[in-house]
Amino acid sequence: MSMITVRDLRKAFGSDSVLEGVTFSVEKGETVAVIGPSGAGKSTMLRCLINLESADSGEIRIEDQPLLDNGKYPDEKARRKICSKMGMVFQNFNLFPHLTVLQNLVLPPVNAKKYTRPQAEEKACALLKKVGLEGKEQSRPSELSGGQKQRVAIARALMMEPDVLLFDEPTSALDPQLTGEVLAVIRELAREHMTMIVVTHEMGFAREAADKVLFMGDHVIIEEGTPEEIFYHPKDPRITEFVSKIL
Amino acid sequence: MEALQQFWDGLVSQLSYLGKLGINMLPGLQYTVGLFAVTVLLSIPLGLCLALLRNSRIRVVKGLTGFYVWIMRGTPLLLQLFFFYYGLTFIPVVGPYLTMGRFQAACVTFVLNYAAYFCEIFRGGILSVESGQYEAAQVLGFTKWQTNLKIVFPQMLKVSLPSVSNECITLVKDTALITAIGVTEILYFAKSAVNRDVDVSAYAIAAIIYLIMTYGLTKLFNWLEKKFHY
Ligand SMILES: Nc1ncnc2c1ncn2[C@@H]1O[C@H](COP(=O)(O)OP(=O)(O)O)[C@@H](O)[C@H]1O
Ligand SMILES: [Mg+2]
């Protein structure tokens, strides 16, 4: 059973077709990197997976549960249940600015009645330690650097114990010298066999940390393969051109 | 020596007159403060509800609240006061049931009027919350209500606080309007004293009472704004 199965996913904004039949699957424990030019539809594809956008047609199965079945969505309750298995990390962090770092982590699982507050606090402290932010519990997001904010965002997503984590360009809003600390956390998760889909422009990361690379261009997945195949033996000339430009 | 004594006696009698005026006005304070408190306590939650309806995706709801806000902000508060106190009675059939006491009519008018202003303030505050906040809340499993209560409202409050502060200070001064429908609030007493004694001092005393209240409010809101700063 695949963790995520996407088949013939289509989505248009008005007359603007953004996904024109996207098909792929992600196995449990896999780290999948999604690369490709800007405007290809990478974000839209990711947002469809977690129900931040509604697709027009196709099929999305999360751990064999249908989020989208033949172009039809189940009711809101079912969608919430299916999507609760996934977490997402955004380009712009989207931390809650009025809450402290600790509150950012504690609120979601307490809301969802997943943990009591003391349990959640204990878990939050352990996760903050894991992402290297011990001692920042009482800071406000505005007091943190971009790299620290993104690490808090990753810890916050992990609080809900997702089976899958989606990353939409997690380092694109960061100063170049801060991308390393964030990528190190994602690499660590990859080593622990967290199932992840990472949309990224960090080719080094995609090449070294990903089990599988999807190249997305012109609203479809043009090619999928191991990092070796995509970066050194691509079949499609568009990939050769993209990779040579960005490296 | 004689002149100094005279001056001294004059000053003492003037001061005791002013003191007496102030004390005589105190019963008026209950209506001024009462109207202020009722309006703040009811129009802020009502304004918040209206703001949610005003941002609703349902067109009719959005339109109706917009219309309500337009009427309430587009007509004089004094006119609305007259309408609710003197006017409602004359509505056919239901009129007699809608008749209210002076202070009751004042409260209803102020709550409905101020709710419209708070609605617009809060609506702006809600719109200033980035879409990313809603998205983060959704993927973290928040329900719509949890999102509003724990993410949107606190952020809205920070943005809205300076305008809310302004509105509350205006409200203190607007309470004086209800003297026009004969509620015996501060200005009512001041006006009677001026007419009775042919002495303008009572207006000065009333002004000082209003100033004390608005000063206190300004301080309170400054403190709140500091507390909400992040
Ligand atoms: N909410 C939206 N409304 C209209 N068009 C959108 C919206 N979101 C994305 N698009 C369009 O969809 C296309 C793909 O966008 P996106 O998925 O963000 O690509 P990528 O992440 O690969 O850069 C772009 O042309 C973009 O302008
Ligand atoms: Mg994107």
Side-chain angles (χ1 to χ4, degrees), chain A residues 67-83:
Chain A
L67 173 64
L68 177 65
D69 195 9
N70 238 321
K72 281 196 216 36
Y73 280 97
D75 62 25
E76 159 140 22
K77 195 160 163 247
R79 293 201 301 268
R80 288 176 64 92
K81 184 155 185 297
I82 293 168
C83 290

Side-chain angles (χ1 to χ4, degrees), chain A residues 24-219:
Chain A
F24 68 94
S25 63
V26 178
E27 302 306 318
K28 189 167 162 41
E30 238 180 5
T31 300
V32 175
V34 181
I35 62 171
S38 184
K42 305 183 296 295
S43 297
T44 306
M45 183 268 285
L46 217 54
R47 292 165 59 83
C48 284
L49 290 184
I50 200 159
N51 200 33
L52 285 175
E53 300 282 359
S54 324
D56 301 330
S57 68
E59 191 176 306
I60 301 174
R61 300 182 84 80
I62 311 295
E63 294 181 309
D64 225 28
Q65 309 268 2
L67 173 64
L68 177 65
D69 195 9
N70 238 321
K72 281 196 216 36
Y73 280 97
D75 62 25
E76 159 140 22
K77 195 160 163 247
R79 293 201 301 268
R80 288 176 64 92
K81 184 155 185 297
I82 293 168
C83 290
S84 70
K85 297 181 190 317
M86 292 181 286
M88 180 152 180
V89 174
F90 301 87
Q91 184 174 339
N92 295 319
F93 329 124
N94 293 340
L95 294 179
F96 304 131
H98 59 299
L99 301 178
T100 63
V101 166
L102 187 68
Q103 290 166 334
N104 262 278
L105 268 64
V106 167
L107 185 57
V110 169
N111 265 349
K113 301 204 169 64
K114 203 176 169 69
Y115 285 122
T116 64
R117 191 165 290 273
Q119 286 171 331
E121 282 177 4
E122 192 176 324
K123 186 169 171 67
C125 290
L127 277 172
L128 284 174
K129 188 168 175 188
K130 177 172 173 171
V131 299
L133 289 173
E134 217 178 357
K136 293 288 184 194
E137 288 82 0
Q138 301 309 325
S139 303
R140 299 272 175 180
S142 59
E143 297 160 355
L144 302 179
S145 73
Q148 291 173 328
K149 281 184 205 169
Q150 195 59 297
R151 286 184 281 151
V152 172
I154 294 171
R156 184 178 67 174
L158 290 171
M159 285 296 290
M160 297 301 284
E161 300 182 325
D163 294 340
V164 186
L165 260 185
L166 312 178
F167 294 80
D168 192 2
E169 302 197 27
T171 59
S172 292
L174 303 180
D175 293 336
Q177 74 271 19
L178 299 179
T179 58
E181 61 191 58
V182 172
L183 292 177
V185 171
I186 303 175
R187 280 173 204 260
E188 175 60 25
L189 291 173
R191 266 193 296 278
E192 294 167 9
H193 300 291
M194 180 78 196
T195 312
M196 296 188 286
I197 304 181
V198 188
V199 173
T200 183
H201 288 297
E202 296 287 334
M203 294 304 138
F205 169 81
R207 200 167 46 197
E208 292 151 27
D211 301 302
K212 186 160 88 185
V213 178
L214 306 184
F215 184 91
M216 206 165 165
D218 296 335
H219 317 310

Side-chain angles (χ1 to χ4, degrees), chain B residues 147-201:
Chain B
T147 307
N148 275 332
L149 226 52
K150 295 174 181 174
I151 306 302
V152 179
F153 290 171
Q155 294 184 46
M156 169 208 75
L157 223 51
K158 175 187 149 106
V159 175
S160 306
L161 214 47
S163 310
V164 170
S165 159
N166 265 334
E167 223 38 65
C168 285
I169 285 164
T170 307
L171 170 60
V172 169
K173 295 177 287 176
D174 276 353
T175 58
L177 284 174
I178 63 174
T179 206
I181 58 168
V183 180
T184 54
E185 48 70 71
I186 290 172
L187 186 60
Y188 183 92
F189 281 106
K191 186 158 165 266
S192 341
V194 168
N195 289 341
R196 187 187 61 220
D197 303 340
V198 201
D199 185 325
V200 77
S201 313

